[in-house]
Amino acid sequence: MTTEDLLRRIDDLEKRVAALEGARTAQHVPASGGVVEYRGTLTEPAELTWRISADPAQVLALDNGPRTEVLAALGHPARAAIVRLLALEGSQNSAALQEAAGLGSPGQLYHHLKSLTSCGLVEQDKRGSYRLRPQAAIPALVLLTAASDVAGQLSG
């Protein structure tokens, strides 16, 4: 991949994130009951800035199906290991993901990848490797951080 291709892809990602941020911010005008927010900035594999504000009552009223798919996908140690590796290192081939997850066979790996891809956390890229979806990178880190906080891992 050339530098020009990378710059074009980064530009496309920045436009998509800006559109998503604008759409989500406009939809989530906090009610008087409070606000829940998360935000983040990444510099690798591309520069992304994310800020989500939501009315807790609106969030709690949403259908549980899609969100529990994401939580279930992250709720397995092998899948969490895959997401952690992709967040740390970017795109990875199947062999690297299988090793990181401690899985004994490619079949086991593809079972876990199916869960991660079907809920929208991970996608296969053009080279036959896998990566976090750009739109899911910061939310996935937020979920892992929140779970670490609830588990008492962040308090020092």
Side-chain angles (χ1 to χ4, degrees):
M1 181 171 286
T2 68
T3 302
E4 183 180 16
D5 291 335
L6 287 173
L7 291 173
R8 188 175 73 266
R9 287 179 72 185
I10 289 170
D11 185 53
D12 290 343
L13 286 172
E14 288 175 340
K15 288 176 184 174
R16 288 171 59 190
V17 169
L20 287 170
E21 285 178 325
R24 288 185 180 186
T25 301
Q27 293 173 6
H28 297 295
V29 177
S32 60
V35 65
V36 174
E37 291 187 325
Y38 70 89
R39 64 183 179 173
T41 303
L42 293 178
T43 56
E44 294 294 332
E47 292 196 23
L48 299 172
T49 300
W50 201 276
R51 180 172 181 225
I52 300 296
S53 296
D55 177 344
Q58 288 177 335
V59 171
L60 295 173
L62 295 171
D63 178 46
N64 283 326
R67 68 173 143 217
T68 57
E69 283 184 47
V70 172
L71 294 171
L74 283 174
H76 191 283
R79 293 189 290 263
I82 290 168
V83 170
R84 288 175 57 203
L85 177 64
L86 295 174
L88 285 169
E89 303 291 334
S91 294
Q92 296 291 309
N93 64 33
S94 298
L97 296 175
Q98 185 175 331
E99 181 181 336
L103 300 171
S105 73
Q108 290 174 321
L109 173 66
Y110 291 111
H111 166 76
H112 293 297
L113 284 172
K114 183 177 179 182
S115 178
L116 291 167
T117 57
S118 69
C119 76
L121 284 168
V122 172
E123 66 185 7
Q124 188 172 13
D125 66 17
K126 295 177 186 175
R127 298 176 303 275
S129 59
Y130 293 85
R131 66 180 181 181
L132 283 178
R133 283 183 54 238
Q135 303 90 331
I138 291 173
L141 290 171
V142 168
L143 288 170
L144 291 172
T145 303
S148 298
D149 187 24
V150 171
Q153 294 178 300
L154 298 182
S155 57

